[in-house]
Amino acid sequence: MTISATPHVRPARLSPDAAALLGRVFLIVLIAGALSAVDPGFASVSNLLNLLRQASLLFLVASGLTLVIIGGGLDLSVGANLTLSACLAAAAIKSTGNPWYGVIVAISTGTLIGFANGLMINRLRLPPFLATFGMLWVAQGMAYWFMAGQTIYGMPMSFRYFGTGFLLGVPLPMWITLVICVACSVLLRRTTFGREAYFMGANQTAAFLSGVPVERRRLLLYVLSGLTAGVAALVYLARLNAAEPGIGEPLLLPAIAAVLVGGTSLFGGSGNIVGTVLGAILLTIIVNGLNLLNVAATWHPLVNGAVVLIAILADLAISRRRSGGT
């Protein structure tokens, strides 16, 4: 009687994307554990909820930017878009007393700015950097002109619920983050549009020759970036209870940093929205930890810059390995 040998079963291996996400989760847990050991106040429920709320706000700004970068573009106007959308929404709410007018105005403004970005890149053949850099100044300038040095504050409590309320014990911005994260993940991973966005980011010429409607896809990516900037403007306005021309200026670089730290390649064609969530959490934990450790604010940009540089160097190393370079 012959006993057949047991077939060799190879252990399941994680995909590179899943392994990268797990690595970032491990890094977050490691840093959080170290901060908890140094300062027990870090692990308090109130601090963790505040931390996740701040990370949610950063993610909302970075989510649309992630889509654009995956598609091979760049959107430097998200911060200024948020500023103008928040200022116009605040004015609409204060003049009408109806929060829903503010919602409509913010979403419409953000989407129109994204549409204008896509149109300039498609029709005027402007590089994404120049088109969105110009829009940054246009939107910022319009916000300063519209506000005329004033600050609009005192939003209705029903509107402030967007930024300060809780649902099932969880801050509402985290629920909004979850909805946008799931929607963007499904869009990127489960639809033809998402696969074409990755294709465009990896090789735009090949995508065009393969029949991908590159201009229409690019326009929609910028519209989505503007739409999410409008949503972020609503949450920021509800959270801060005030709008002023400089509200979005400090958000652009942290948003780009969250995308890069989250593993999305600045060269396009790779990355995912969950990575951006983890990147936003990681950056927020670092800032929170520096505050708890009483590190002077003047050192914060240096630390954040070092983290971003490490992420960029890792991205370059991965890109060279994939292309077979040294």
Side-chain angles (χ1 to χ4, degrees), residues 32-126:
L35 289 173
S36 300
V38 174
D39 187 342
F42 175 84
S44 66
V45 174
S46 61
N47 186 60
L48 291 179
L49 286 178
N50 182 58
L51 187 152
L52 292 175
R53 192 199 305 268
Q54 293 297 329
S56 297
L57 297 175
L58 179 57
F59 166 76
L60 291 176
V61 183
S63 56
L65 186 60
T66 305
L67 301 179
V68 168
I69 291 179
I70 285 175
L74 184 64
D75 190 353
L76 297 178
S77 67
V78 287
N81 188 341
L82 184 151
T83 296
L84 183 58
S85 299
C87 289
L88 295 179
I93 293 172
K94 291 295 287 186
S95 61
T96 64
N98 188 338
W100 288 109
Y101 283 106
V103 173
I104 294 171
V105 167
I107 298 295
S108 301
T109 303
T111 303
L112 279 175
I113 290 177
F115 182 79
N117 281 331
L119 211 57
M120 284 193 292
I121 295 168
N122 281 343
R123 298 304 179 193
L124 302 181
R125 304 299 179 191
L126 291 177

Side-chain angles (χ1 to χ4, degrees), residues 240-254:
L240 300 178
N241 195 26
E244 58 185 14
I247 189 175
E249 288 181 14
L251 299 172
L252 174 60
L253 294 181

Side-chain angles (χ1 to χ4, degrees), residues 253-254 256-258 260-261 283 303-314:
L253 294 181
I256 295 176
L260 297 180
V261 171
L283 291 174
V303 175
N304 284 329
V307 172
V308 173
L309 280 177
I310 291 171
I312 292 174
L313 290 174

